Amino acid sequence: QKEVEQNSGPLSVPEGAIASLNCTYSDRGSQSFFWYRQYSGKSPELIMSIYSNGDKEDGRFTAQLNKASQYVSLLIRDSQPSDSATYLCAALLYGQNFVFGPGTRLSVLP
Amino acid sequence: KAGVTQTPRYLIKTRGQQVTLSCSPISGHRSVSWYQQTPGQGLQFLFEYFSETQRNKGNFPGRFSGRQFSNSRSEMNVSTLELGDSALYLCASSRGQNTGELFFGEGSRLTVL
């Protein structure tokens, strides 16, 4: 059973702080990892993808992947109230379907 | 560039009825996958279609079915609706079969009474 685990939260951080979102996955064969953001009542939207070990930065977002530890994280620097949403971690094993985690609800307090 | 379009956006059905949902992917995307999202279960994979063929299927009963047309548009059907089928059904498209990023539509919210 392929699983992706996330802390459901809510994770509350003050505006301007760094929000750290974590995800673990069970299938060592997973090759690609994605972070989606979902605002309440909206559909998920892709914010980051990461395929190899290490860090990947895009603006205020940094994704980190450690395949040995089966761990993926997303850091949001200078958090803004508009970042308040549910963040979904997803793992993809090539040729198979995406497996999504339950999501972490982030609340950025003004 | 138009996004993923799902219709209808909202619908109400009663137990025992059937429902058909439609999804038009982003132009040039050949893969369409369907997900069920509920507060308790999160995003659950239903199936994926690529070039009119079902490539992967999730752990859902046979009441859930789908198809893809030659223009990559996809439909999913749920027969003999149950109360537990109430959910947001999301369609996502991607360029290739289970590679790369998924782009989601706004979803079809189904309520079964």
Side-chain angles (χ1 to χ4, degrees), chain B residues 20-23 34 65-69 73-77:
Chain B
T20 298
L21 309 178
S22 178
C23 172
W34 290 88
S65 63
R67 58 179 175 169
Q68 186 180 34
F69 303 95
R73 189 177 72 85
S74 177
E75 289 181 347
M76 69 163 282
N77 183 276

Side-chain angles (χ1 to χ4, degrees), chain B residues 63-82:
Chain B
R63 299 185 297 108
F64 292 80
S65 63
R67 58 179 175 169
Q68 186 180 34
F69 303 95
S70 58
N71 61 358
S72 294
R73 189 177 72 85
S74 177
E75 289 181 347
M76 69 163 282
N77 183 276
V78 188
S79 63
T80 319
L81 284 166
E82 300 177 359

Side-chain angles (χ1 to χ4, degrees), chain B residues 72-100:
Chain B
S72 294
R73 189 177 72 85
S74 177
E75 289 181 347
M76 69 163 282
N77 183 276
V78 188
S79 63
T80 319
L81 284 166
E82 300 177 359
L83 296 178
D85 296 333
S86 295
L88 179 66
Y89 290 89
L90 290 163
C91 166
S93 76
S94 63
R95 293 188 188 281
Q97 179 195 346
N98 262 337
T99 58

Side-chain angles (χ1 to χ4, degrees), chain A residues 32 34 36 38 41-46 48-49 51 56 88 92-102, chain B residues 9 35 37 42-43 45 48 55-58 88 90 94 97-107 109:
Chain A
S32 308
F34 305 85
Y36 287 82
Q38 187 173 24
K42 299 293 186 180
S43 59
E45 59 177 328
L46 178 71
M48 288 285 286
S49 59
Y51 303 96
K56 179 181 178 182
L88 303 168
L92 175 63
L93 176 64
Y94 183 75
Q96 313 226 353
N97 53 280
F98 283 78
V99 178
F100 282 85
Chain B
R9 291 290 313 280
Y35 292 83
Q37 188 173 38
L43 263 176
F45 172 75
E48 187 216 2
R55 302 291 180 165
N56 281 300
K57 189 177 192 303
L88 179 66
L90 290 163
S94 63
Q97 179 195 346
N98 262 337
T99 58
E101 300 89 353
L102 295 178
F103 295 87
F104 285 88
E106 291 297 315
R109 185 165 295 281

Side-chain angles (χ1 to χ4, degrees), chain A:
Chain A
Q1 176 83 5
K2 303 179 183 64
E3 291 185 345
V4 174
E5 302 289 341
Q6 296 180 257
N7 188 324
S8 62
L11 171 66
S12 295
V13 300
E15 184 175 355
I18 295 175
S20 178
L21 305 164
N22 304 314
C23 168
T24 59
Y25 58 95
S26 63
D27 193 327
R28 285 194 171 274
S30 298
Q31 297 168 304
S32 308
F33 304 88
F34 305 85
W35 284 98
Y36 287 82
R37 176 177 61 199
Q38 187 173 24
Y39 292 113
S40 180
K42 299 293 186 180
S43 59
E45 59 177 328
L46 178 71
I47 52 173
M48 288 285 286
S49 59
I50 186 165
Y51 303 96
S52 55
N53 280 328
D55 296 359
K56 179 181 178 182
E57 187 174 317
D58 184 1
R60 296 186 296 113
F61 298 97
T62 299
Q64 299 174 318
L65 173 60
N66 184 327
K67 289 188 176 181
S69 300
Q70 296 176 246
Y71 177 89
V72 190
S73 66
L74 179 70
L75 300 177
I76 306 175
R77 290 181 299 281
D78 188 24
S79 295
Q80 301 297 309
S82 58
D83 294 326
S84 297
T86 296
Y87 289 80
L88 303 168
C89 174
L92 175 63
L93 176 64
Y94 183 75
Q96 313 226 353
N97 53 280
F98 283 78
V99 178
F100 282 85
T104 297
R105 190 155 53 94
L106 172 66
S107 178
V108 180
L109 307 174

